[in-house]
Amino acid sequence: MNQALQTLHSVFGYETFRPPQESIIRTVIEGGDALVLMPTGGGKSLCYQVPALVRPGCGVVISPLIALMQDQVSALRQLGVRASFLNSTLDAASTREVESQLLAGELDLLYIAPERLTRERCLSLLEQSAISLFAIDEAHCVSQWGHDFRADYLQLSLLHTRFPGIPRIALTATADARTRLEIIERLDLGNARQFIAGFDRPNIRYRIALKHNPRQQLLRFLRDEHVGDAGIIYCMSRRKTEDIATWLGEQGLDALPYHAGLDAATRASHQARFLREEGVIMVATIAFGMGIDKPDVRFVAHLDMPKTVESYYQETGRAGRDGLAANAWMIYGLQDVIKLRQMMAASAGSEEHKRAEQHRLNAMLGLCEITSCRRQALLNYFGDQLDQPCGNCDSCLEPADTWDGTEAARMALSAVYRTGQRFGVNHLIEVLRGSEADKVMQFDHHLLPTFGVGTQWDNNQWRSVFRQLVARGLLSVDLDRFGALRLEEKCRPLLRGEEQIELRRDQPRQKTARQQTRTALPADIDVGLWEALRERRRLLAEEQGVPPYVIFHDRTLQEMCCQLPRNRAELGHINGVGERKLEKYGAQFLQVIEQHAAVR
Ligand code: ADP
Ligand code: ZN
């Protein structure tokens, strides 16, 4: 273990292991198997990188993310680690070179795509080489239920049979129990020790608001809080990602679309720009993101509601992996729910499967509508506990107002009932507000007792009432009739006068003085020095064709700004400055700091 700590200091430049890392690393170094569940940004990579460096032989990392292998390998080489990869992007000559390095024991870490690994040629190559461990990254890809399923992963249980003495470590950020069981079963990990880290991501601020003017809301969020920051904006449809990216471009922002319908070259080039440049915004469908380990994604915005809390958590988890403040921002409306329900109803799949999906969608909706701490609700969903409200979500920071919505809710339910459960929200509101619109007259709805009883609330307030009744399962959306609302069993006690209901008061549109939350920079930092350090980093990154964070993370540069190291020894104490980087870049960064001090 001493050797592990020594490696952590000298290679990675970090002081201490995070709590779960230490026991995971000990297990693997001692030759045991491990299953690691850790949230994105938790520090999974070190769990296999350190043991691979400490144990004799080369560590083999199986990863489905071919497009990212090059960057992962470059980052390791920056640290002085002898890393390489084998996948379909290499030509025959380079492949042979990597293979002979492996045979000669000249590699510390080798990344391999699963479809390559399971070929006989590759297996026998591995049998002839000294292997320290197998790391199976993104292990949830064996799950046939998940949307990341890879058939090649199913064959990975052969590692156990072919290489019985070599420790295996499977890693994933997907939390749920069912996926975990599938991983254990399909990868033959029955004897592995399980490490389940807490799922909290305290540096991410969760905010969920109502959609009223999505583009303007988004633009405001970006201009107020994320000037020059890199981030991801998720949309439900391909078309929308393109529209939004174009529109943001017209507003002067550096935004690119990404979805599975773009050709491979465009996708690759957009992804490369996002990774390599600073401040690029990716407007994407869920096709984008798995394995993107860009540490300085400062925000994840959702313009449409994800289908499940799992997806929401996985997508928002891509923000702030460096541990610095980041925003998870979402807007949603009743239309999202109607659209998602329609998509589900139209999908193939058994009734049981559809019911399960419906259930998960309701949980997501519940998260949107709650008035208590969002983080407590999120963690609770994953079976984790947070005893106190978090203080870093919108519910905690700007507590939502509630009001006694009993009377309004009864009126709304009664309007649904009396119009025959065949009409959508807009029509129902017209009836409640006593509008003499054509359609109201046509169906004689002006003759109903509920006609015009609800004039004290305006259209928006009524929409909010209906949305919350749907979210809480008192009303359902009828899919055979576009958007028609129907009563659910659950609304009876309220209709019979046996129950009261508290509703969330939606925030007024013109928000009062909003607090400025430039997320990334602490208030007391010297911005001039910060910019100068970033500029130096950018030049170095460009020279070597690597993303800037591969040189140093934002966090490391911020520590330099705070501690103002004057010499190599002081610089070496900063988090993220290992021996190799100290040697390679130390002088250059010290020079920037010194020059800056001189002109101040
Ligand atoms: P994951 O793969 O779990 O999403 P990473 O392995 O990419 O996470 O690690 C997330 C971030 O945390 C990286 O920037 C990494 O350098 C940093 N990190 C990991 N372990 C430590 C540690 N013990 N001390 C300081 N920083 C760490
Ligand atoms: Zn909170």
Side-chain angles (χ1 to χ4, degrees), residues 215-487:
R215 291 188 176 195
Q216 289 309 320
Q217 286 173 289
L218 175 67
L219 191 61
R220 173 128 198 217
F221 167 67
L222 296 176
R223 290 208 170 133
D224 283 359
E225 307 186 34
H226 289 291
V227 176
D229 285 345
I232 308 173
I233 299 172
Y234 282 110
C235 306
M236 210 180 330
S237 74
R238 295 175 177 184
R239 171 79 196 279
K240 187 162 169 187
T241 63
E242 299 194 16
D243 291 349
I244 296 285
T246 309
W247 179 74
L248 287 175
E250 287 161 12
Q251 309 303 313
L253 291 154
D254 195 357
L256 299 170
Y258 190 103
H259 58 74
L262 294 172
D263 62 84
T266 309
R267 282 205 311 266
S269 97
H270 288 187
Q271 174 166 313
R273 279 204 55 209
F274 179 71
L275 292 175
R276 274 151 205 264
E277 294 174 25
E278 298 190 73
V280 174
I281 297 172
M282 196 67 112
V283 189
T285 61
I286 51 169
F288 180 73
M290 199 202 2
I292 295 290
D293 52 7
K294 182 173 169 63
D296 54 356
V297 175
R298 293 269 67 85
F299 67 89
V300 170
H302 281 93
L303 288 182
D304 297 303
M305 193 174 90
K307 277 190 235 165
T308 64
V309 178
E310 284 88 349
S311 322
Y312 172 75
Y313 205 59
Q314 200 175 53
E315 286 151 26
T316 55
R318 291 169 187 145
R321 293 170 67 135
D322 52 11
L324 296 176
N327 269 312
W329 181 93
M330 176 168 117
I331 50 176
Y332 81 106
L334 187 54
Q335 278 309 316
D336 288 317
V337 183
I338 295 176
K339 247 190 250 164
L340 286 173
R341 293 222 161 121
Q342 278 170 332
M343 275 162 60
M344 279 178 194
S347 75
S350 65
E351 279 309 307
E352 188 204 348
H353 187 63
K354 282 183 189 171
R355 254 198 308 280
E357 283 198 316
Q358 197 64 253
H359 190 73
R360 291 163 137 197
L361 176 59
N362 288 342
M364 183 64 220
L365 205 50
L367 177 70
C368 295
E369 293 286 348
I370 52 160
T371 49
S372 56
C373 174
R374 306 243 194 234
R375 190 180 315 269
Q376 277 180 322
L378 268 172
L379 293 178
N380 190 33
Y381 183 84
F382 294 115
D384 248 12
Q385 276 265 9
L386 186 68
D387 293 331
Q388 296 292 318
C390 75
N392 193 26
C393 72
D394 52 356
S395 301
C396 287
L397 293 166
E398 310 159 35
D401 267 350
T402 58
W403 58 294
D404 181 354
T406 311
E407 195 193 350
R410 282 199 193 121
M411 288 179 185
L413 295 172
S414 149
V416 172
Y417 179 68
R418 291 186 187 272
T419 52
Q421 314 192 50
R422 296 189 295 133
F423 294 87
V425 184
N426 293 332
H427 183 78
L428 293 166
I429 295 177
E430 300 211 305
V431 172
L432 285 161
R433 301 215 353 107
S435 143
E436 296 186 345
D438 289 351
K439 200 167 155 200
V440 174
M441 307 306 278
Q442 182 195 335
F443 288 96
D444 278 346
H445 287 162
H446 59 298
L447 303 176
L448 296 175
T450 29
F451 181 75
V453 294
T455 46
Q456 71 266 48
W457 293 294
D458 68 16
N459 280 354
N460 284 326
Q461 285 164 319
W462 275 119
R463 289 194 143 279
S464 157
V465 171
F466 279 108
R467 195 193 71 242
Q468 297 185 60
L469 292 175
V470 171
R472 297 195 195 181
L474 277 69
L475 286 176
S476 63
V477 180
D478 187 340
L479 297 162
D480 296 328
R481 297 198 174 93
F482 183 85
L485 296 182
R486 291 218 308 220
L487 300 181

Side-chain angles (χ1 to χ4, degrees), residues 14 16-18 21 39-46 321 553 575:
Y14 296 139
T16 49
F17 285 117
R18 293 174 180 166
Q21 286 175 333
T40 309
K44 283 185 286 300
S45 334
L46 282 189
R321 293 170 67 135
H553 279 187
N575 250 306

